[in-house]
Amino acid sequence: MTSNLSAKFLLLEEEVGKEVLEREHEIHTSILAILARRNHFMVGIPGLAKSLQIERICARISDANYFRVLMSKFSTPEEVFGGIDLRTLKDTGIQKRIIDGMLPTANFGFLDEIFKANSVILNAMLTAMNERMFRNGQETLNIPLVSIFGASNEIPENDELSAVWDRLHFRHSVQPLSSSANMARLLRLEEVENPDPILSMADIYQAQQDLRKVTIPDSVIEAILDLRADLAAESIHPTDRRWKQTMDILRAEAWLRDGEEVEINDCRSLVHVLWNDSSQRSTVMSKVLQMIDPMDRKAVELYEALAAQEKMISGASSDNDKMKRLVEVFNKLKKMHPDVTELRDHAKETERKSEYIEQAMNKYRGTMKFVQSTMADIQAKAKEQ
């Protein structure tokens, strides 16, 4: 049975998902980031609801202090950390900032185009992101920051940004809405201006304390060590700090389901944590899912194969060419059917809902329906002519 407190977090995830469509993974890992006091990053073109997602989460936390800033190469430390206290500077000669309402007093910070900030700002950010501390004049302050949420149009390639990049624990590449039905929902959707609060900061602090009681058994540690070796064999090397910081992420996942102990299935979110550049994402997903359940990996491979077949159809230059491709794809789909059956039976036997299996089966049904209906349309058009 889900506890009252964990139920609040799940309700928050559900409610935000009604407003920010096709972002189930991103919303879920945002909740995990808050529970584990970790940071979160999304990359994608402008207009994909990256900032909206975080705003809608914070809007449902009754007493959260939220800070947002758009970064550029011209941004100054004053825009992020506050202006210089001129009175203190005049009276004491100490350069101290007025931090009220700025990042050092925020519970949640959204840094848009985070990698466009200059090195002065980013260097000052490192301690805040990792240790939750800020140097102000001669004082080192413990700040109330729970999570930094960053967004950008690109993934950093500059080594100077590697320290900040490593402190962004969850990493997502977001895409435009893929479903016409969801696009229609978006066009009709009315934003809830003042949603009822679901959580308070006290709830968040209590949950963070509670998840410290969640234990990680040796079997999970051993699986993580094997995963580390598998990734190293593929020249993927998350830092030691990153591996260590995943432990609270696993605890948060277990706590959300009211588990007292981490299970191997709680490692699924690592697919969004362990890659360093976009070329590594599919390999990390494959290795993590293989560790948890080989059938999930098989489902991902099936989904990707179906997407490749759809792409081949879209490249047809004429109806005759399209029909040839449709027939070829139809025959391939028939050969894939035993794999679909195996995935379906596995889901029934284990009585575990797997989003990867569900997505693959939906993709198979959708592709088969598309192929059959398109073939029928082309044949009907040929008869008319």
Side-chain angles (χ1 to χ4, degrees):
M1 180 180 291
T2 305
S3 71
N4 290 335
L5 188 51
S6 60
K8 288 184 178 182
F9 283 85
L10 294 173
L11 177 60
L12 174 61
E13 183 175 333
E14 179 183 349
E15 290 301 308
V16 175
K18 294 176 182 177
E19 291 187 84
V20 187
L21 307 178
E22 293 188 15
R23 295 288 183 270
E24 293 85 356
H25 294 292
E26 291 83 355
I27 296 169
H28 181 66
T29 55
S30 295
I31 301 300
L32 293 178
I34 291 171
L35 284 168
R37 296 189 77 208
R38 296 293 175 247
N39 304 314
H40 193 279
F41 173 78
M42 290 180 283
V43 60
I45 61 174
L48 297 185
K50 298 187 291 295
S51 61
L52 177 65
Q53 174 182 314
I54 309 309
E55 289 170 0
R56 303 321 291 167
I57 289 174
C58 291
R60 289 172 169 83
I61 302 173
S62 59
D63 50 351
N65 291 323
Y66 174 66
F67 175 79
R68 175 182 175 180
V69 64
L70 174 62
M71 311 291 253
S72 76
K73 62 181 179 180
F74 302 111
S75 296
T76 65
E78 286 73 20
E79 296 175 59
V80 182
F81 306 112
I84 301 299
D85 186 338
L86 297 179
R87 183 184 296 272
T88 300
L89 179 62
K90 179 181 177 180
D91 294 344
T92 66
I94 297 173
Q95 184 171 296
K96 189 175 181 180
R97 296 188 181 279
I98 302 173
I99 61 176
D100 291 346
M102 308 306 285
L103 182 65
T105 60
N107 303 119
F108 305 99
F110 183 77
L111 307 182
D112 202 0
E113 295 301 335
I114 182 172
F115 298 116
K116 290 183 179 177
N118 58 56
S119 58
V120 175
I121 295 175
L122 292 176
N123 287 337
M125 197 89 66
L126 294 179
T127 306
M129 295 177 73
N130 201 53
E131 286 82 21
R132 304 303 195 262
M133 300 175 72
F134 176 70
R135 180 77 176 178
N136 192 20
Q138 295 181 334
E139 295 181 290
T140 299
L141 307 176
N142 291 314
I143 59 177
L145 185 66
V146 173
S147 299
I148 285 285
F149 294 91
S152 177
N153 296 332
E154 57 191 4
I155 294 173
E157 296 180 356
N158 190 333
D159 289 341
E160 294 179 1
L161 300 172
S162 60
V164 172
W165 180 233
D166 194 50
R167 285 165 172 79
L168 293 168
H169 305 99
F170 291 102
R171 298 163 174 173
H172 292 273
S173 176
V174 296
Q175 305 296 327
L177 292 179
S178 61
S179 164
S180 297
N182 280 332
M183 177 55 73
R185 285 179 60 197
L186 175 64
L187 296 177
R188 297 187 181 98
L189 193 63
E190 293 186 11
E191 182 176 314
V192 181
E193 293 187 6
N194 297 299
D196 293 332
I198 296 173
L199 289 171
S200 67
M201 290 306 302
D203 289 330
I204 291 172
Y205 296 141
Q206 182 61 58
Q208 290 172 345
Q209 289 296 317
D210 289 349
L211 72 86
R212 302 303 305 167
K213 302 172 186 176
V214 177
T215 60
I216 304 178
D218 290 344
S219 59
V220 172
I221 296 294
E222 290 167 3
I224 293 291
L225 294 177
D226 289 341
L227 174 63
R228 180 173 180 263
D230 288 344
L231 292 178
E234 300 289 341
S235 299
I236 300 174
H237 302 281
T239 63
D240 293 349
R241 174 175 58 208
R242 197 167 193 79
W243 282 110
K244 173 62 176 175
Q245 291 175 336
T246 62
M247 297 300 100
D248 279 345
I249 292 172
L250 302 186
R251 290 187 180 96
E253 194 79 81
W255 181 86
L256 272 178
R257 60 170 178 78
D258 282 340
E260 297 180 356
E261 184 178 88
V262 172
E263 298 176 356
I264 195 66
N265 199 48
D266 296 319
C267 297
R268 290 180 181 279
S269 59
L270 296 186
V271 301
H272 308 296
V273 175
L274 298 177
W275 60 270
N276 197 51
D277 63 65
S278 56
S279 66
Q280 299 174 350
R281 285 202 300 262
S282 61
T283 301
V284 168
M285 176 176 281
S286 177
K287 296 297 183 181
V288 171
L289 295 183
Q290 179 67 27
M291 175 185 75
I292 297 169
D293 186 344
M295 284 298 179
D296 280 348
R297 177 182 177 178
K298 188 168 187 175
V300 170
E301 292 172 348
L302 176 62
Y303 186 96
E304 292 175 348
L306 290 166
Q309 296 306 308
E310 290 180 349
K311 186 175 181 180
M312 185 184 75
I313 294 170
S314 66
S317 58
S318 64
D319 281 353
N320 286 337
D321 182 27
K322 180 174 283 190
M323 179 58 82
K324 290 179 182 178
R325 297 185 185 210
L326 287 166
V327 171
E328 180 181 346
V329 171
F330 181 73
N331 290 330
K332 288 181 179 179
L333 289 174
K334 289 196 293 185
K335 292 180 180 179
M336 291 178 183
H337 190 262
D339 291 333
V340 176
T341 302
E342 184 181 15
L343 291 173
R344 182 194 63 204
D345 292 345
H346 175 75
K348 287 182 178 179
E349 290 170 6
T350 58
E351 296 183 347
R352 177 182 66 80
K353 182 179 180 180
S354 166
E355 60 189 289
Y356 299 103
I357 291 178
E358 187 175 352
Q359 288 172 356
M361 293 178 66
N362 288 339
K363 187 75 166 177
Y364 180 83
R365 287 190 289 265
T367 304
M368 178 64 84
K369 183 178 180 180
F370 170 76
V371 168
Q372 291 174 329
S373 63
T374 306
M375 290 173 69
D377 289 344
I378 293 175
Q379 289 172 339
K381 183 179 177 181
K383 289 181 179 179
E384 292 176 358
Q385 294 176 346

